[in-house]
Amino acid sequence: MGASKQTRAKFSVGQVVRHRIFPFRGIIFDIDPVFDNTEEWWLSIPEDIRPHKEQPFYHLLAENAETEYIAYVSEQNLLADTSGQPLRHPQLKEMFVLDDTGGYRAIFLQPH
């Protein structure tokens, strides 16, 4: 593999985001600098909305109106969620605490 250009993630761990197309939102708990899932997963996305692989992909504690789950989403399909609505994902309290500003801080990361 040749050297790829360094990609800087637009969003960060602990940030609440929403999907650009589908009605779900969530909190980021991990970031891959480029696509790092199976080819089968990537090909399962309809071709007209399939994201390119050379961009950050985000692992989310996601939720929609019906359920909570883990999602893997390309940067191009995420927008910052500014609704201020609380998240209800059952794993949220295991991984994050609310800070003084009302934002989420990851409790699984060590400060540098």
Side-chain angles (χ1 to χ4, degrees):
M1 285 252 187
S4 65
K5 66 180 173 58
Q6 180 64 33
T7 306
R8 180 148 171 77
K10 180 178 176 182
F11 303 108
S12 57
V13 170
Q15 189 168 357
V16 179
V17 292
R18 63 183 175 87
H19 198 279
R20 188 173 61 82
I21 301 168
F22 300 111
F24 72 85
R25 59 196 289 265
I27 187 168
I28 297 167
F29 69 88
D30 196 13
I31 304 168
D32 294 334
V34 294
F35 180 79
D36 190 22
N37 204 331
T38 65
E39 191 67 12
E40 292 77 16
W41 183 92
W42 190 72
L43 291 172
S44 74
I45 301 168
E47 194 170 353
D48 60 328
I49 61 167
R50 189 178 299 148
H52 64 91
K53 294 179 178 180
E54 297 300 317
Q55 65 179 313
F57 275 73
Y58 299 83
H59 300 261
L60 308 179
L61 297 180
E63 56 191 54
N64 61 28
E66 292 83 41
T67 190
E68 299 84 31
Y69 53 99
I70 302 293
Y72 190 64
V73 186
S74 63
E75 185 169 275
Q76 75 187 60
N77 283 323
L78 289 177
L79 299 168
D81 182 285
T82 57
S83 70
Q85 293 293 104
L87 294 165
R88 66 175 194 274
H89 198 287
Q91 290 176 273
L92 186 68
K93 286 182 172 56
E94 297 170 23
M95 300 173 78
F96 296 94
V97 293
L98 275 175
D99 64 20
D100 297 339
T101 66
Y104 290 96
R105 184 173 53 82
I107 54 179
F108 56 91
L109 296 176
Q110 298 299 315
H112 293 1

